[in-house]
């Protein structure tokens, strides 16, 4: 039966964004979906630049980036992964390189973004904890894969361990892995220490 | 494909009822799993074919991610219970809600779409823990029966590797009570036929104002003898004089709401679904006027009835007291257009001596005809115009011309009402006169027009 007395204020000049914001329940810190899509585009552009340089493949990467923004459900991320693979086939591995680290990280990130595109709403917001959980899963896979890749490249190319450890690539990868591991360990501990 | 079963229960008997729906959905694999698997296989094959282990390194995170998703896949269909509860409004404008989406342990995230008042929607993705307690509020603009909230959802599991298709959750339908404006001075019928009440009638009796002094006659009460007057006027022993007074009476008021049309201020939207409009509509004002008038008369101890011109079954006979008010207010709040407007052959019969309020937009002849018939049969009739001031800026030239014709016809109707002695009150007056002040003017003692 009757619940609430009413009469709303006139909403003549309110925008659709204001209405959506009014309706959104209290979900804590959240990010808009467009920002996540923009993040995906930035990753694609960054990986294109790192892997292809300024070349024809880079132009393809730019086209792919635009296509990702326009055709949200199309499997463009995985096509882009194949493009990276094709680019890597043209290079010769001489030792640990930052391009390889970026390619591995980029491939994984694009796959996760592609999976995410299937369930992300066209418009709306995503709670921070959802993204944090996905980031944690990404780190759980990425950290060991990067370390294993480094070890494998050292083995394959016959680079001495001393050279590999002294290389800036190893420094960057090891630093990122360390940050990831610290985050993986500390975040659950800090969360568990909270009163609620 | 999704299979949804289960029952969505409607509002329970509680005033602040909950809407609950339990549904079972089947999990489906994210298409990304297929694409990711295909690419991983291609990369691994390329690594073997071209003897390039680097390609295998590229495939490694994909394979690990897919394996992790497969390992965490849900094993049984998702049974979800969605409960929406509304809290009492702390202000007149905000409706507070609490929604709990109880998910199975397999679900990691919930993608939610909240649809309010059939027009506003908001989408968001939250963790399953957050989805168990979603609290928010929004404004309600229209009164009357309406779907105020709907929750649709989709579950996401294994970090996005599996999901359910969107499921329509419970629809919360409520009757929103109109706002009530306090009215202090109200007009009364020309004749009051009630036997007791707060107003003076023309009949002699007890309780009312002083009428005259008369000689004692059989039937007069002894306590009415005025000894001072008797001492002054009595000419013979045994001659007594009594003070006579008027009897009190209650007024009988009939509120007639013309709910056959519901239009807003946006003229281009006349004829479309008024629930989608962002501003109060004519029916919102009509409900507000009817509720305010009914509350004020009942508070004065009068008898109030209600009739809805849209349906023959929506009639409440005049009565008094709080119990009657509790019957009237829900009936007024439920007034809404039903089907195509139909023409009545004769005016609904109303009690003798009753005062009639006709609340309408007067966009057609029906309400005007009824008001004129009632006035012609001797009732005091007050017409309340609830058409919101029209917004004409968005209109094209031909639409402006059409509106001008409609407005002129309406003006003629209202003018003809005034001509036959119907008092007209503009509930949404643009000249600053509030409905209360206009009704106060009509409540001044006036002679019955001949």
């Amino acid at each position: 039966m009757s619940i609430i007395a009413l009469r709303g204020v006139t909403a003549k000049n309110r925008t659709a964004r204001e209405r959506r914001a009014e309706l959104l329940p209290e979900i804590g810190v959240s990010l808009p979906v467009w920002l996540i899509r923009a993040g995906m585009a930035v990753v694609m552009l960054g990986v294109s630049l790192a892997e292809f340089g300024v070349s024809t493949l880079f132009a393809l990467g730019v086209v792919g980036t635009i296509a990702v923004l326009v055709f949200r459900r199309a499997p463009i991320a995985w096509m882009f992964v194949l493009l990276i693979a094709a680019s890597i086939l043209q290079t010769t591995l001489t030792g640990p390189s930052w391009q390889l680290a970026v390619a591995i990280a980029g491939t994984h990130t694009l796959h996760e973004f592609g999976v995410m595109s299937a369930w992300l709403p066209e418009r709306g917001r995503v709670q921070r904890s959802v993204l944090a959980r996905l980031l944690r899963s990404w780190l759980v896979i990425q950290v060991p894969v990067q370390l294993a890749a480094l070890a494998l490249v050292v083995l394959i190319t016959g680079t001495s361990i001393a050279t590999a450890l002294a290389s800036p690539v190893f420094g960057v990868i090891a630093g990122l892995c360390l940050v990831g591991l610290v985050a993986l360990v500390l975040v659950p501990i800090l969360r568990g220490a909270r009163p609620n | 494909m999704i299979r949804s079963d289960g029952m969505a229960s409607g509002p329970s008997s509680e005033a602040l009822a909950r809407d609950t729906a339990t549904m079972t959905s089947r999990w489906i694999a994210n298409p990304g799993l297929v694409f990711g698997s295909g690419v991983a296989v291609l990369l691994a094959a390329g690594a073997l074919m071209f003897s390039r282990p680097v390609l295998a390194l590229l495939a490694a995170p994909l394979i690990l991610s897919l394996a992790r998703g497969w390992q965490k896949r849900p094993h049984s269909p998702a049974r979800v219970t969605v409960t929406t509860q509304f809290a009492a409004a702390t202000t007149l404008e905000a409706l507070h809600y609490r929604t709990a989406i109880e998910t199975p342990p397999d679900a990691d995230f919930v993608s939610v779409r909240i649809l309010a008042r059939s027009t506003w929607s908001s989408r968001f993705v939250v963790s399953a823990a957050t989805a168990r307690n979603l609290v928010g509020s929004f404004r309600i603009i229209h009164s009357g029966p309406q779907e105020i909230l709907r929750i649709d959802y989709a579950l996401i599991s294994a970090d996005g590797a599996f999901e359910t298709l969107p499921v329509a959750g419970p629809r919360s339908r409520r009757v929103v009570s109109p706002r009530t404006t306090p009215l202090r001075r109200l007009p009364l019928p020309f004749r009051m036929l009630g036997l007791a009440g707060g107003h003076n009638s023309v009949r002699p009796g007890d309780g009312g104002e002083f009428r005259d002094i008369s000689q004692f006659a059989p039937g007069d009460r002894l306590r009415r003898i005025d000894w001072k007057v008797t001492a002054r006027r009595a000419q013979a022993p045994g001659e007594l004089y009594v003070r006579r007074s008027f009897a009190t009476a209650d007024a009988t008021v009939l509120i007639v709401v013309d709910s056959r049309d519901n239009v807003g201020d946006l003229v281009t939207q006349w004829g479309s679904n008024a629930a989608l409009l962002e501003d109060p509509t004519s029916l919102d004002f009509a409900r507000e006027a009817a509720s305010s008038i009914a509350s004020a008369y009942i508070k004065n101890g009068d008898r109030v009835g209600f009739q809805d011109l849209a349906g023959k079954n929506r009639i409440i006979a005049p009565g008094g007291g709080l119990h009657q008010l509790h019957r009237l207010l829900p009936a007024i709040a439920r007034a809404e257009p039903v089907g195509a407007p139909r023409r009545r052959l004769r005016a609904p019969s109303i009690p003798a001596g009753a005062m009639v309020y006709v609340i309408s937009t007067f966009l057609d002849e029906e309400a005007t005809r009824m008001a004129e018939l009632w006035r012609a049969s001797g009732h005091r009739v007050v017409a309340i115009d609830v058409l919101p001031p029209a917004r004409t800026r968005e209109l094209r030239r031909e639409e402006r011309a059409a509106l001008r014709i409609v407005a002129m016809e309406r003006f003629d109707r209202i003018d003809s009402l005034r001509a036959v002695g119907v008092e007209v009150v503009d509930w949404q007056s643009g000249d600053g006169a509030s409905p209360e002040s206009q009704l106060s003017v009509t409540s001044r003692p006036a002679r019955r027009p001949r």
Side-chain angles (χ1 to χ4, degrees):
Chain A
M1 226 298 293
S2 163
I3 25 165
I4 307 295
L6 83 125
R7 182 168 68 146
V9 181
T10 54
K12 221 171 274 181
N13 300 319
R14 302 177 65 205
T15 61
R17 182 181 295 178
E18 285 171 337
R19 289 178 211 155
R20 283 199 297 273
E22 182 191 325
L23 202 55
L24 193 72
E26 297 156 14
I27 59 169
V29 183
S30 60
L31 294 178
V33 168
W34 66 262
L35 196 64
I36 296 166
R37 292 195 195 284
M40 184 174 180
V42 167
V43 167
M44 280 185 80
L45 273 182
V47 173
S48 298
L49 203 60
E51 296 301 317
F52 314 140
V54 182
S55 62
T56 317
L57 281 178
F58 177 69
L60 271 176
V62 172
V63 172
T65 305
I66 296 166
V68 152
L69 294 174
V70 178
F71 308 106
R72 290 167 185 158
R73 299 285 165 102
I76 293 163
W78 293 281
M79 291 182 197
F80 194 79
V81 169
L82 291 177
L83 208 64
I84 295 172
S87 160
I88 281 193
L89 271 180
Q90 292 169 3
T91 58
T92 313
L93 199 62
T94 54
S97 70
W98 63 270
Q99 279 99 339
L100 180 63
V102 168
I104 292 170
T107 302
H108 185 199
T109 310
L110 288 173
H111 168 71
E112 296 296 347
F113 269 132
V115 169
M116 200 194 282
S117 295
W119 53 262
L120 268 186
E122 278 192 20
R123 262 199 308 251
R125 298 189 76 85
V126 181
Q127 198 185 18
R128 186 183 60 180
S129 63
V130 171
L131 297 172
R133 183 177 171 139
L134 292 174
L135 181 65
R136 203 160 60 235
S137 300
W138 185 86
L139 283 172
V140 163
I141 294 171
Q142 195 58 210
V143 169
V145 166
Q146 287 286 359
L147 290 175
L150 187 70
L152 197 69
V153 169
V154 167
L155 277 175
I156 292 169
T157 56
T159 316
S160 72
I161 297 292
T163 314
L165 290 179
S167 74
V169 178
F170 178 79
V172 171
I173 291 174
L176 288 175
C177 290
L178 195 65
V179 170
L181 282 172
V182 168
L184 276 175
V185 172
L186 278 186
V187 168
I189 292 173
L190 290 174
R191 184 159 293 173
R194 281 184 199 166
N196 294 316
Chain B
M1 283 296 289
I2 188 167
R3 188 173 63 84
S4 295
D5 45 47
M7 292 273 288
S9 63
S12 76
S13 57
E14 300 168 40
L16 306 177
R18 296 193 288 186
D19 298 300
T20 304
T22 301
M23 276 159 272
T24 305
S25 309
R26 204 157 56 85
W27 293 99
I28 54 168
N30 189 316
L33 288 188
V34 179
F35 296 127
S37 308
V39 169
V41 168
L42 274 179
L43 290 175
L48 284 173
M49 203 180 296
F50 301 110
S51 303
R52 298 294 295 271
V54 180
L55 293 180
L57 287 177
L58 283 187
L62 267 62
I63 292 167
L64 285 174
S65 175
L66 294 167
R68 191 177 149 90
W70 185 254
Q71 186 219 340
K72 290 171 73 179
R73 72 187 184 281
H75 290 92
S76 55
R79 189 174 164 77
V80 182
T81 303
V82 183
T83 307
T84 303
Q85 192 170 15
F86 298 97
T90 50
T91 70
L92 288 180
E93 292 160 4
L95 173 61
H96 298 268
Y97 68 89
R98 180 186 293 271
T99 294
I101 304 176
E102 294 294 340
T103 58
D106 300 329
D108 294 335
F109 318 130
V110 185
S111 179
V112 185
R113 175 179 180 245
I114 290 184
L115 187 72
R117 294 178 16 223
S118 310
T119 50
W120 297 2
S121 74
S122 182
R123 291 163 186 266
F124 52 90
V125 182
V126 290
S127 65
T130 307
R132 284 187 198 109
N133 188 25
L134 296 170
V135 180
S137 66
F138 59 93
R139 290 175 190 152
I140 291 186
I141 293 172
H142 302 294
S143 58
Q146 57 192 285
E147 182 183 305
I148 51 176
L149 198 71
R150 199 179 99 191
I151 307 281
D152 298 344
Y153 65 89
L155 302 185
I156 298 154
S157 176
D159 291 343
F162 290 86
E163 59 184 329
T164 64
L165 286 179
V167 179
R171 293 161 181 260
S172 303
R173 281 193 68 82
R174 294 289 186 278
V175 179
V176 179
S177 302
R179 194 180 71 151
T180 305
T181 306
L183 302 170
R184 279 181 281 278
R185 297 188 65 190
L186 291 163
L188 293 171
F190 295 134
R191 287 186 304 149
M192 277 176 286
L193 303 177
L195 296 174
H199 314 289
N200 288 314
S201 76
V202 291
R203 291 179 294 107
D206 290 334
E209 289 178 357
F210 173 73
R211 185 182 178 223
D212 61 0
I213 300 246
S214 166
Q215 262 199 340
F216 183 85
D220 284 337
R221 292 184 180 187
L222 290 178
R223 65 184 176 88
R224 287 201 163 272
I225 297 171
D226 190 328
W227 294 107
K228 286 181 183 173
V229 173
T230 302
R232 269 202 311 272
R233 290 195 187 177
Q235 303 292 320
E239 192 177 315
L240 298 169
Y241 284 88
V242 289
R243 292 173 70 85
R244 293 197 305 185
S245 60
F246 287 111
T248 56
D250 53 0
T252 303
V253 176
L254 187 71
I255 298 169
V256 179
V257 172
D258 177 10
S259 66
R260 293 170 310 122
D261 53 13
N262 188 15
V263 294
D265 60 347
L266 206 58
V267 181
T268 49
Q269 298 295 313
W270 284 9
S272 61
N273 187 0
L276 305 179
L277 298 175
E278 293 294 334
D279 289 303
T281 60
S282 63
L283 205 46
D284 293 327
F285 294 131
R287 293 189 196 106
E288 181 187 330
S291 299
S292 306
I293 291 165
S295 302
Y297 276 106
I298 292 281
K299 195 177 164 190
N300 289 345
D302 296 319
R303 294 156 55 78
V304 181
F306 171 73
Q307 186 139 15
D308 185 351
L309 275 186
K312 59 183 177 184
N313 296 328
R314 301 180 189 173
I315 300 169
I316 294 180
L322 271 179
H323 181 69
Q324 174 75 357
L325 186 62
H326 290 153
R327 288 176 66 203
L328 286 169
L329 293 181
I332 291 168
R334 284 199 179 94
E336 62 174 342
V338 177
R342 61 192 182 88
R343 183 180 163 81
R344 282 172 183 265
L345 292 175
R346 58 177 67 89
S349 61
I350 56 172
M355 179 174 177
V356 187
Y357 280 92
V358 180
I359 303 172
S360 174
T361 56
F362 299 104
L363 283 170
D364 67 1
E365 294 283 349
E366 190 76 349
T368 318
R369 197 166 58 88
M370 299 294 143
E372 285 173 352
L373 284 170
W374 283 319
R375 183 66 198 89
S377 56
H379 297 283
R380 186 174 187 181
V381 181
V382 175
I384 296 186
D385 177 12
V386 287
L387 185 72
R391 270 164 65 189
T392 54
R393 264 185 306 174
E394 297 88 349
L395 295 182
R396 295 195 301 269
R397 196 175 158 196
E398 61 272 21
E399 288 172 336
R400 274 176 202 277
L403 176 65
R404 204 172 299 133
I405 293 167
V406 170
M408 282 163 63
E409 286 175 352
R410 203 180 85 90
F411 181 79
D412 285 348
R413 271 179 221 122
I414 292 173
D415 228 25
S416 71
L417 284 176
R418 284 202 178 97
V420 296
V422 173
E423 293 143 289
V424 180
V425 170
D426 186 356
W427 195 262
Q428 278 296 297
S429 174
D431 57 9
S434 68
E436 190 188 0
S437 64
Q438 293 177 69
L439 284 169
S440 177
V441 169
T442 58
S443 72
R444 287 175 192 160
R447 288 200 180 144
R448 182 179 174 176
R450 289 171 191 276

